[in-house]
Amino acid sequence: MTIPRRSLRAAGTLAAAAIVGLTGAVLTAGPAAAHTPTWDVTCTEVSLHLTAYNDKVTNQVTITVDGKELLPTESFGKGLDKTIDLPEHDKALTVHLSVKAGDGDQFSKEDTKQAPVCEGNTPTPTPSETKPSKPSEPSQKPTTAAPTPTDTPSETASSSAPAAATPSPSSPDLAETGSSSATPIIGGAAVAVLLAGGGIMWSVRKRRTAQH
């Protein structure tokens, strides 16, 4: 049985096309399968494992928690292994991973996971929720002691105070301001002197008149 040449040529062309297609698919899928970003999130930490990346380009990775950077943008080559602690939290956190491959956006990765609250991690009450404690009462009540006088009279007033001075008998009599018993006698003597003087003057005048 002979096969026509045209059929052989057609079969060869189809086989060649199939081989080329398979080779291209393998070459295309090879780099995609090589980039392996693996990461895990627990209640306390984030584990990051980046492997089989192209080390001839610059690759970058960033991790944020509720919009805040947990791992600032960091460059890496063929791979990166890192474990990062999460901040303490009393509610679930949103953790976002961003990997930028330097050899094409098709090899980059954007992913988001939730960090749960650890069991037994009870939220600490805020100051507004804590009730103020009552002030402790003093164990002993203060005693009120009667005040002691600071100054006491040194001595009672002496009864031997000096008496008022009395005039001695030898001291001269004080002048009398009122009338005494000799006043009428002195008045009579004065009248007699006046009368005698008047009589003498009358006699002298009479003699002078007689002589003229």
Side-chain angles (χ1 to χ4, degrees), residues 67-78:
K68 298 179 180 179
E69 288 187 344
L70 180 66
L71 174 64
T73 302
E74 183 174 338
S75 300
F76 66 96
K78 188 175 182 179

Side-chain angles (χ1 to χ4, degrees), residues 91-208:
K91 62 180 181 180
L93 300 176
T94 300
V95 185
H96 181 74
L97 171 68
S98 177
V99 180
K100 302 293 184 182
D103 52 356
D105 292 340
Q106 67 273 21
F107 307 130
S108 300
K109 183 179 182 63
E110 300 287 339
D111 195 10
T112 301
K113 294 184 179 182
Q114 295 290 321
V117 179
C118 296
E119 294 182 1
N121 185 14
T122 56
T124 304
T126 58
S128 59
E129 294 176 355
T130 56
K131 296 181 179 180
S133 58
K134 295 182 179 179
S136 58
E137 296 181 355
S139 57
Q140 295 180 354
K141 294 183 179 180
T143 57
T144 56
T148 56
T150 56
D151 295 332
T152 56
S154 58
E155 293 180 357
T156 57
S158 175
S159 59
S160 59
T166 56
S168 61
S170 59
S171 58
D173 293 338
L174 297 176
E176 293 183 358
T177 56
S179 62
S180 63
S181 59
T183 302
I185 299 173
I186 295 173
V191 172
V193 170
L194 290 175
L195 292 174
I200 292 171
M201 291 180 66
W202 179 79
S203 61
V204 170
R205 285 180 180 179
K206 189 175 180 180
R207 288 178 180 178
R208 287 181 181 179

